[in-house]
Amino acid sequence: MAVAAGTATPVQATRRVSRRVVVAAIVIAWLVLFAALRGRGTLALAAADLTDLHRWFNSVNDSIGANRNSNPLFLYFFNEIRLVIDNLVTFIQSLISQPGAGRPVPVIGWLGVVALAGYISWAFGNIRVAALAVAGFVFLGLQGLWQESMDTLALTLSAVFVSLLIGIPLGIWAGLSDRVNRAITPFLDFMQTMPTFVYLAPLTLFFLIGPASATIATLIYAAPPAIRITAHAIRSVPATTVEAAESLGSTRRQTLTKVLLPMSKRTVVMGVNQTIMAALSMVTIAALIDAPGLGKTVVKALQTLDVGVAFNAGLAIVVMAIVLDRVTTAAGDRVEAARKRGAGRFTKWRSPLLMAGGAFAAVCVWMSHTYVWAARFPGDAGVGGAIARTADSVTLWTQDTFGGLTNGTRDLITTALLNPFETLLTESPWWLVGAVLVAVGAVLGGWRAGATAAVCVALLVATGVWSDSMTTLASTAVATLIVMLLGVVAGVWMGRSPLVDRLIRPSLDAGQTMPSFVYLVPFLALFGATRFTAIIAAVVFAAPVTIKIIADGVRAVPQVTVEAATAAGSSTWQIITKVQLPMSRSALTLATNQGLIYVLSMVVVGGLVGAGALGYDVVAGFSQGQLYGKGLAAGLAIVLLGVMFDRITQAAARRTTSVPGARQAGH
């Protein structure tokens, strides 16, 4: 029965083959027409040229700037929101990073911050996490990046506070109400589909450049995980438990506060973890709109190709991400351990020790408020300078030693894959490429996906950045192809071997906690400022989620099916290619979906290191006022590409899941 479940009927097999044949026919027709029509109707636009839409965006921006303090909508809505967020950020900055309350130093200096970080980590986690937090924060100071790190932490805390203030109640509501859950899901999908870059330009239009826009962009990006995971936590509580509480006379409020929330606590804490990681990632990117902190240091270093400084600041971001991740993860583990064990043998000592630790932290806070040596981090940033110099030296050594290999790899992939595909996309008539995208979308995802592709293509043409969109599409497609090849190889290996899974998965989990900016630094050192740098960084950024999805899909294939194939004399290669991968088709499609979205997000960030195209347009829009409209249009184009990719691959995944074998593999 298991083998039969994984075997498609002749009708289904014919349908799958016919889709592949149709797609192949579309590609062949495209190549033939390209040869005949090359260079016609390409909608090329020079870097400094603007369309009427771009000029209109510029005029809207100028008009808003001129009327910001007189228009009622801004006076009583946008300006008020900006004022509230600005005050929140300024308050937290004055506490830990910037001079405040008429003082030349923050209210709480470095010693107090380190003590509070250690105490909070101990209170919510354990002593090992507390030691990690203390060591991590001290290391930030030794790098010479204390104030930049505290600015980043202040913006992250501000955004997380507002995100949780909005996200957890909304998530609870969505968990309790099917109607609310259905209503907000499309908005959450859209918010999580959009690459992080695209939040920035529209927000500066309404909230100006600065910490307020950065914080609002960050909370928009960070709120969806809190909402989704909280709703999932509420819905995951067993119905029998809820029914038992209601049968005992509990009101709806009592059921929520006494049953649903306590039983969802660990999952909600996981949502807080994801929100913090998303906020930290976005805060660093928000340096493009003048957000203070480590991101600004990284951006300036990338723009000047200063690998040493970029590496030092990137390392600080990684350290902060690890500390915040471990603290919140330990808090979730503690909740789960307390639920399983109840009162442990050390419980009676925990309260007195926490009180003593709190008193010690309070003394450190007072000292950091009172004494200059405890307020300003001591030292001359010798560690940071040494790290930067070492990074520069390693970069030069690597380029001298492995330059032939790295340059050869870059040139091979660029010449063999990227350049031909980019030429095909950018030198084909726009209507031909659009027809191909619509046709492929309809074949793979159905008529709805085809209609979505048609709308996205029409809007891409209207943005005036069609050529740059095709360049970005080429880089995204090449990077996704490499990601999927890597994902299949590593995912199958992990799915077939529990030992390999245990060895590799922690590295993949760690890779998913690092902000996207960090990935650019080492590859900038290896490959220089080129399109390939953005592509390889996108591959490494997207690989963890892709590999994990494929590994889980392969592992979900019933063992009895594999054993039956083995008993029938199948080789390992045959089992992988004829049984496990076909039955993991839904996981492969989902991995393609996630890989595309992650790659697109990273490729446009690569505009900072020579990737050009839409990423460059967005960055130029922030730095050059006359290109603001073009940058805004480029952000819209990125959204359209993301929506088109997401809808086609999701629809293809749903159609794949309708096959019995794929459905079984997906469970």
Side-chain angles (χ1 to χ4, degrees):
M1 292 300 292
V3 176
T7 305
T9 66
V11 174
Q12 292 163 344
T14 301
R15 187 179 300 142
R16 288 201 299 273
V17 171
S18 66
R19 285 182 196 162
R20 288 195 286 266
V21 170
V22 171
V23 171
I26 292 171
V27 173
I28 292 172
W30 181 14
L31 294 174
V32 171
L33 291 173
F34 168 75
L37 302 171
R38 180 174 181 175
R40 303 180 189 175
T42 58
L43 302 181
L45 188 71
D49 290 345
L50 303 177
T51 67
D52 290 339
L53 177 66
H54 305 159
R55 296 187 185 92
W56 183 77
F57 280 152
N58 283 340
S59 66
V60 169
N61 184 39
D62 295 338
S63 176
I64 288 176
N67 298 286
R68 186 177 301 276
N69 295 321
S70 58
N71 188 300
L73 183 61
F74 280 87
L75 277 176
Y76 303 111
F77 185 69
F78 291 119
N79 289 357
E80 291 299 320
I81 293 176
R82 181 172 179 270
L83 180 63
V84 170
I85 297 297
D86 256 339
N87 286 338
L88 174 62
V89 174
T90 302
F91 171 72
I92 298 180
Q93 283 183 307
S94 67
L95 283 180
I96 61 174
S97 65
Q98 299 284 349
R103 294 159 50 86
V105 292
V107 174
I108 303 176
W110 75 270
L111 183 63
V113 172
V114 170
L116 285 174
Y119 178 70
I120 292 172
S121 302
W122 180 29
F124 288 95
N126 54 58
I127 193 66
R128 292 188 299 275
V129 174
L132 174 66
V134 169
F137 273 72
V138 170
F139 182 71
L140 297 175
L142 293 175
Q143 288 181 275
L145 296 170
W146 180 261
Q147 181 169 327
E148 292 86 345
S149 301
M150 292 304 101
D151 279 329
T152 297
L153 182 62
L155 287 178
T156 302
L157 293 177
S158 302
V160 168
F161 173 75
V162 180
S163 297
L164 297 180
L165 194 65
I166 298 171
I168 290 181
L170 193 56
I172 293 172
W173 193 14
L176 296 173
S177 170
D178 291 336
R179 180 179 299 175
V180 173
N181 190 57
R182 287 194 301 269
I184 68 173
T185 295
F187 294 99
L188 299 179
D189 290 341
F190 184 70
M191 291 164 68
Q192 292 190 293
T193 299
M194 289 194 295
T196 52
F197 251 32
V198 303
Y199 292 109
L200 304 181
L203 288 172
T204 59
L205 188 64
F206 298 104
F207 301 105
L208 298 176
I209 288 177
S213 292
T215 304
I216 293 170
T218 301
L219 71 89
I220 291 174
Y221 183 67
I227 298 171
R228 282 188 184 278
I229 295 176
T230 301
H232 171 73
I234 297 295
R235 290 176 172 273
S236 298
V237 175
T240 53
T241 304
V242 177
E243 292 169 358
E246 292 174 345
S247 67
L248 294 174
S250 295
T251 63
R252 187 177 179 86
R253 183 185 184 87
Q254 289 172 328
T255 302
L256 175 63
T257 57
K258 303 295 185 182
V259 178
L260 292 173
L261 289 180
M263 295 190 68
S264 307
K265 190 183 297 182
R266 183 175 186 272
T267 307
V268 172
V269 172
M270 184 177 71
V272 174
N273 171 276
Q274 293 300 301
T275 300
I276 291 174
M277 293 297 102
L280 180 60
S281 177
M282 188 65 189
V283 160
T284 56
I285 293 176
L288 292 169
I289 55 174
D290 204 31
L294 295 168
K296 181 175 286 188
T297 304
V298 174
V299 168
K300 289 181 178 178
L302 290 176
Q303 290 174 337
T304 58
L305 304 182
D306 190 337
V307 175
V309 172
F311 182 84
N312 187 45
L315 180 60
I317 295 172
V318 172
V319 169
M320 184 172 291
I322 291 173
V323 170
L324 295 177
D325 178 62
R326 292 312 307 158
V327 170
T328 48
T329 301
D333 293 341
R334 184 171 190 81
V335 169
E336 180 67 10
R339 185 182 68 81
K340 290 181 177 180
R341 291 198 309 263
R345 56 177 178 170
F346 296 111
T347 302
K348 64 178 182 178
W349 295 104
R350 181 170 175 79
S351 294
L353 288 174
L354 283 176
M355 292 178 62
F360 176 76
V363 170
C364 291
V365 169
W366 175 82
M367 293 176 68
S368 72
H369 182 77
T370 306
Y371 299 103
V372 173
W373 66 266
R376 290 177 176 158
F377 200 93
D380 56 356
V383 172
I387 291 173
R389 289 191 296 272
T390 302
D392 286 332
S393 300
V394 171
T395 298
L396 291 175
W397 177 82
T398 303
Q399 291 172 344
D400 292 340
T401 306
F402 301 104
L405 177 62
T406 57
N407 293 338
T409 303
R410 179 193 65 200
D411 294 342
L412 175 63
I413 294 179
T414 301
T415 304
L417 285 176
L418 182 58
N419 286 346
F421 193 48
E422 184 176 316
T423 299
L424 181 63
L425 285 168
T426 57
E427 297 189 18
S428 293
W430 69 267
W431 54 265
L432 176 59
V433 179
V436 170
L437 291 173
V438 172
V440 171
V443 171
L444 296 180
W447 71 268
R448 292 181 185 274
T452 300
V455 172
C456 290
V457 166
L459 293 176
L460 278 172
V461 173
T463 61
V465 288
W466 173 265
S467 182
D468 284 348
S469 299
M470 293 303 99
T471 301
T472 297
L473 175 57
S475 298
T476 302
V478 170
T480 303
L481 175 63
I482 299 173
V483 165
M484 290 306 299
L485 291 174
L486 179 62
V488 168
V489 172
V492 169
W493 194 21
M494 289 174 60
R496 290 175 54 85
S497 171
L499 175 61
V500 173
D501 186 273
R502 288 195 300 271
L503 292 175
I504 296 179
R505 191 170 289 264
S507 299
L508 300 180
D509 292 339
Q512 285 189 277
T513 66
M514 290 194 292
S516 55
F517 258 19
V518 176
Y519 289 94
L520 291 175
V521 177
F523 298 111
L524 176 64
L526 286 173
F527 301 105
T530 65
R531 293 172 298 164
F532 184 74
T533 300
I535 289 175
I536 199 67
V539 169
V540 177
F541 180 60
V545 65
T546 305
I547 292 171
K548 287 163 69 173
I549 291 173
I550 295 175
D552 291 342
V554 171
R555 190 177 301 105
V557 174
Q559 187 61 32
V560 291
T561 306
V562 178
E563 292 171 356
T566 304
S570 298
S571 64
T572 300
W573 176 255
Q574 290 172 325
I575 291 172
I576 293 172
T577 57
K578 303 297 183 182
V579 178
Q580 290 177 313
L581 285 179
M583 293 186 69
S584 305
R585 190 175 287 108
S586 60
L588 291 171
T589 311
L590 177 61
T592 303
N593 172 274
Q594 292 299 295
L596 273 168
I597 299 304
Y598 274 70
V599 163
L600 178 61
S601 176
M602 192 65 194
V603 163
V604 294
V605 173
L608 292 168
V609 291
L614 295 178
Y616 171 81
D617 292 337
V618 174
V619 175
F622 295 136
S623 58
Q624 304 176 45
Q626 71 274 17
L627 295 179
Y628 176 85
K630 190 174 184 178
L632 193 60
L636 177 60
I638 294 167
V639 173
L640 294 170
L641 288 175
V643 169
M644 182 167 60
F645 291 154
D646 183 62
R647 291 298 175 263
I648 292 174
T649 50
Q650 280 200 26
R654 286 193 294 270
R655 297 183 76 179
T656 300
T657 307
S658 65
V659 179
R663 183 186 298 114
Q664 184 177 354
H667 283 308

